Amino acid sequence: MEKVRPLTGKQKQILKEFFERSVAGETMEEVASSHGISRKTLSTWKNSKEGKELHANFRKELSANDLEIFYEVLKEKMAAGSFKHMELYAKIHRDKIGLIDKQEILNTTDSDNRVKSGFSSEDISELEALINDELPLQRVK
């Protein structure tokens, strides 16, 4: 069994630089060559437990800014009456604030026939208030 050594500070720094440069389109070979190491060595570092953790953290940081944009688009689509986007919002927040499940959403939508008639301005205002935590959420049975 091969002994696993922790990555040094310099190795971690090279990996972080590789992650950044790979987003810009550079290859593993190019990054490795610029540091005087082989692609295989860089790959070994990247595939180590620490390397995988560093990559996961890098991806989280990279996507952190996208989350705000995602919620803005989701809010706009829901305001326009998109049932699919409302359903997505419900799925995302179901555990956090006890939203209704999909079967309850489908039953309510079928009985109100909103698919054909669309959502009223009152419905949209109520959903916006729920999104902004201005109204308590009530279960529909």
Side-chain angles (χ1 to χ4, degrees), residues 71 74 78 85-93 99 131:
Y71 275 107
L74 183 60
M78 288 189 327
H85 290 86
M86 290 177 208
E87 184 179 29
L88 174 60
Y89 183 86
K91 285 179 183 178
I92 293 170
H93 297 325
L99 287 174
I131 292 168

Side-chain angles (χ1 to χ4, degrees), residues 2-127:
E2 189 175 322
K3 189 174 182 179
V4 178
R5 295 185 183 142
L7 296 174
T8 66
K10 185 173 182 173
Q11 291 169 334
K12 289 178 186 178
Q13 190 60 38
I14 291 171
L15 270 178
K16 288 177 184 177
E17 185 180 325
F18 162 65
F19 300 145
E20 292 168 0
R21 289 171 62 180
S22 66
V23 169
E26 289 190 56
T27 66
M28 187 177 278
E29 290 84 6
E30 292 169 332
V31 176
S33 176
S34 71
H35 288 283
I37 60 175
S38 71
R39 185 208 55 80
K40 185 176 179 182
T41 299
L42 185 57
S43 179
T44 300
W45 296 348
K46 178 181 176 273
N47 292 321
S48 70
K49 183 178 178 183
E50 282 183 277
K52 289 177 182 179
E53 289 172 4
L54 284 172
H55 196 231
N57 289 337
F58 174 78
R59 287 189 312 230
K60 282 181 189 175
E61 291 173 12
L62 190 62
S63 65
N65 298 333
D66 297 337
L67 196 55
E68 186 176 324
I69 295 168
F70 169 80
Y71 275 107
E72 282 299 315
V73 171
L74 183 60
K75 184 177 177 180
E76 289 173 14
K77 298 290 185 175
M78 288 189 327
S82 169
F83 173 76
K84 289 287 184 189
H85 290 86
M86 290 177 208
E87 184 179 29
L88 174 60
Y89 183 86
K91 285 179 183 178
I92 293 170
H93 297 325
R94 178 177 293 129
D95 294 335
K96 293 180 183 174
I97 54 178
L99 287 174
I100 55 182
D101 66 25
K102 184 176 180 178
Q103 188 60 42
E104 290 171 322
I105 291 172
L106 292 175
N107 289 343
T108 302
T109 304
D110 291 342
S111 64
D112 291 344
N113 203 14
R114 288 185 174 147
V115 173
K116 291 182 182 174
S117 63
F119 291 92
S120 69
S121 59
E122 290 175 330
D123 293 331
I124 293 172
S125 297
E126 186 177 336
L127 285 168

